[in-house]
Each structure stands twice: as C-alpha cells, then as structure tokens.
Amino acid sequence: MSSPTRNDTHVDRPLSNLSIMLGSPAFMGQALFPEFFVLKESDKYYTYKDRESLRRLDSRRAIGDPSREIDFKPSTETYSCEEYSLSKLLADRLMRNADSPTRLREVALRLIREWIDRDLEADIIKAVTQGGLDAATPSVKWDAGSGTIDIEGDIDTGKLAIQNNGGGIANTILFNTGVKNAIKTDSTVRNLLRYTVTGFAGKELVVNGELPPVLWGLKINVAGAVENTGLIGAADSISTMWGNHAIIAQVDSAPSLESKTLGLQFTVRQGGTRGAPLVKTFRDERRAGTRYEMSMLKDNKIVATQCGYNLHSVLT
C-alpha cells in the first residue's frame, strides 16, 4: 500500500492573495500634461501667447513725468472634456464560486483603469507627435554605427527653440525605453556620468543601469507603456506606444493662473480627490449579476505649442 501523495491531500486552486497581472503601468503622458481640475465639462480659458511681451520697453522716466502706459489683450481658447468609460458584469454564480469575490472586483476595476489610461496616453501621444510642435530629426541617429552622435547638441537645439519661441525654459524630457537605452549606452554620455556623478548616487546608477533623474537640466521621464495591436483572437503584436521621439517641454507641475506649460489634462473631479475616477455599480437582474462601471471626464490638450519640441526619428 502506497502512502498518500501531495495531490491526494490538496486540490490545487488559485491563491486568493496572489495573482500575476500582465499589464503596462508605465503611462507617462501626464508628465507632459499635468492634471488641471475644472468644474464644467467645457469652457473657455485665457491665453497670452503674443510675443509682444518679449519686447524691451523703455521703462525709464524723467523726474515728474508719467510712467509709460502698457496695454495687452488676452485671447481665449476652449477645452471640451470627453467621457472615458468601461464596465464589467460579474455574474452572481461567478462571484459565489470565487474564493475571493473582492479580489475579483479589484482585478476587474484595475483592468478597466488600465484600458482607460491607455486611451488617455494615446491621446497625449497623438497631440505631441502628430504636428503642432516644432520638430527636427538628428543629423546622426542616436544609435548609429557611424558618424558623430551629438545627443546633447540635439537636445540643446530643442531647448533653445522653446526659449526663442516663447521665452520659456525647458525642464522636462520624455522618451521610450529604446531611446533611453541608446542614450545611456552612448560613449559621450557614459563619460559625462563617469566623471560627474560620484558617491552613493554614482553607485546607484551603476547598480540600476539607468540614467540619472535629471540630465542637462531636464527631468527624465521614461515612457514604458506598450500595447497589443493584434486583432482580438489573432496573434499578439506588442509594440511600444511612444515611438522614437524625445519630447522636450516646459511643464508647470502645479498649473494655475498665468502658467507657462505645454499641455494640460483638463479633468472634471467627480470621483473624489486627485481626479479619481467615478465608479458605479448597477444591478442587472435579467443577467443575474452586478455591473461595475468606471468613468472619467478629461480633455488632453496642448495649450502652448511654444513650450514643446519634438525630436523625432532619433533611432535608426
């Protein structure tokens, strides 16, 4: 008579406290378009884009003379939020049979949020890469096998364009993982880091194998979001959402009146603090289940093209 085996004493089942989620949480579009909360789904806002403000006006005056009077006229533009919404029906039988119904709801809502975030990311990508911004291609691609690669010079060109176009100072750069890898393995950049980043910070860069958080005065944002462009039921086709771009921008992380920033994510606050999405539950007796719905009201919009520059096709 043989002894009981492990399979005789335990029936395998999914753990209620562990699940492996395939996803792409590295959405970085909001690094270029910070969230700005509004009360109405559509409205106007003032803009001051006239380059007259860059002129020098003689502000000196003689004793007793009146000061020179200035004048300015703002223009207006509009935003219009769209609703992003998805839902999932969880049948009663499914919930009763689940080992942890709460986790099933959490997974459904997490997936819905990721799908909505991917749409929002795609909107920002379209806005900053498909016209509107001044743009250029490096004369020598950043991963080229020959020629003199000048990553710093190419980025300086974008920074200077922002300064000349609107008097702004670029403070942010965004690129995908492939572009990041080309930059960090460039011999010139490697030498710069080798001789300037010392101590614990230098050790961290060696351990992590990454770029520093700030390079040449620009905060680095690596957009690692990917998407499956294959048809449902067909073979998967995974690609990065951000192409071979390096988007240089002036970004006001806390936008308010008189902000100078590339774009804004106009958001109607409806689900609580910090623009949290609105989550509703609906009972569907005909289908014997509960529907979980998430929605967000947003408009991703460039508000100042002068505050951005698109270095495109930077890789071969």
Side-chain angles (χ1 to χ4, degrees):
M1 180 181 295
S2 60
S3 300
T5 65
R6 179 182 62 186
N7 292 334
D8 293 326
T9 60
H10 172 73
V11 178
D12 289 346
R13 62 186 178 90
L15 297 175
S16 62
N17 62 344
L18 175 66
S19 64
I20 305 302
M21 181 75 66
L22 287 177
S24 180
F27 300 112
M28 296 299 296
Q30 202 164 306
L32 297 178
F33 286 22
E35 205 164 37
F36 186 77
F37 297 109
V38 292
L39 296 176
K40 304 296 183 180
E41 293 185 22
S42 63
D43 229 326
K44 294 182 178 181
Y45 58 93
Y46 289 113
T47 63
Y48 299 85
K49 297 182 181 180
D50 197 332
R51 288 188 175 89
E52 289 296 311
S53 63
L54 300 180
R55 293 186 183 277
R56 285 188 60 193
L57 300 179
D58 191 355
S59 58
R60 293 168 293 188
R61 67 172 179 176
I63 297 175
D65 284 353
S67 61
R68 182 177 180 179
E69 184 176 337
I70 65 166
D71 196 11
F72 59 88
K73 181 180 180 181
S75 56
T76 60
E77 293 186 10
T78 60
Y79 71 86
S80 180
C81 293
E82 292 184 280
E83 185 172 20
Y84 297 78
S85 182
L86 292 171
S87 63
K88 169 63 179 175
L89 181 86
L90 294 178
D92 295 341
R93 288 178 59 188
L94 181 66
M95 296 294 282
R96 285 195 300 267
N97 195 54
D99 290 322
S100 179
T102 301
R103 292 294 300 165
L104 199 57
R105 288 192 291 267
E106 288 178 356
V107 169
L109 291 173
R110 190 181 303 116
L111 284 171
I112 287 174
R113 178 62 188 266
E114 184 170 326
W115 273 313
I116 292 176
D117 284 345
R118 184 167 280 104
D119 280 341
L120 294 169
E121 188 86 348
D123 288 347
I124 295 175
I125 292 171
K126 181 178 180 180
V128 299
T129 63
Q130 296 187 14
L133 302 186
D134 278 359
T137 301
S139 56
V140 179
K141 303 297 180 70
W142 294 354
D143 60 346
S146 61
T148 302
I149 299 173
D150 187 10
I151 297 175
E152 183 177 9
D154 293 331
I155 290 176
D156 282 345
T157 298
K159 293 166 65 176
L160 186 61
I162 291 173
Q163 180 177 321
N164 289 340
N165 285 338
I169 303 298
N171 58 9
T172 301
I173 189 168
L174 181 148
F175 39 70
N176 67 25
T177 305
V179 175
K180 179 261 295 180
N181 290 339
I183 296 174
K184 76 174 186 176
T185 56
D186 177 71
S187 59
T188 302
V189 175
R190 278 279 171 91
N191 285 333
L192 287 172
L193 297 178
R194 179 186 304 167
Y195 296 118
T196 58
V197 183
T198 59
F200 182 75
K203 293 179 181 178
E204 281 292 295
L205 289 178
V206 173
V207 171
N208 295 331
E210 299 299 337
L211 291 169
V214 177
L215 187 64
W216 300 312
L218 302 177
K219 181 180 178 182
I220 292 177
N221 298 276
V222 180
V226 299
E227 63 178 336
N228 185 357
T229 59
L231 297 176
I232 296 177
D236 293 333
S237 179
I238 309 298
S239 60
T240 59
M241 293 188 67
W242 290 85
N244 293 328
H245 302 267
I247 307 297
I248 303 167
Q250 179 179 8
V251 176
D252 186 346
S253 59
S256 60
L257 290 174
E258 287 85 45
S259 286
K260 185 175 287 187
T261 193
L262 170 62
L264 292 173
Q265 189 176 92
F266 293 96
T267 301
V268 178
R269 184 186 280 121
Q270 56 173 347
T273 61
R274 302 302 302 166
L278 180 65
V279 178
K280 293 182 178 180
T281 59
F282 304 90
R283 184 65 193 164
D284 189 335
E285 292 296 347
R286 183 179 65 84
R287 298 178 64 184
T290 301
R291 182 177 297 280
Y292 296 85
E293 179 187 89
M294 181 182 295
S295 65
M296 307 173 81
L297 290 166
K298 290 181 178 288
D299 182 15
N300 293 304
K301 184 171 183 180
I302 291 179
V303 296
T305 56
Q306 299 92 333
C307 291
Y309 193 85
N310 176 16
L311 278 170
H312 62 88
S313 305
V314 299
L315 303 181
T316 55

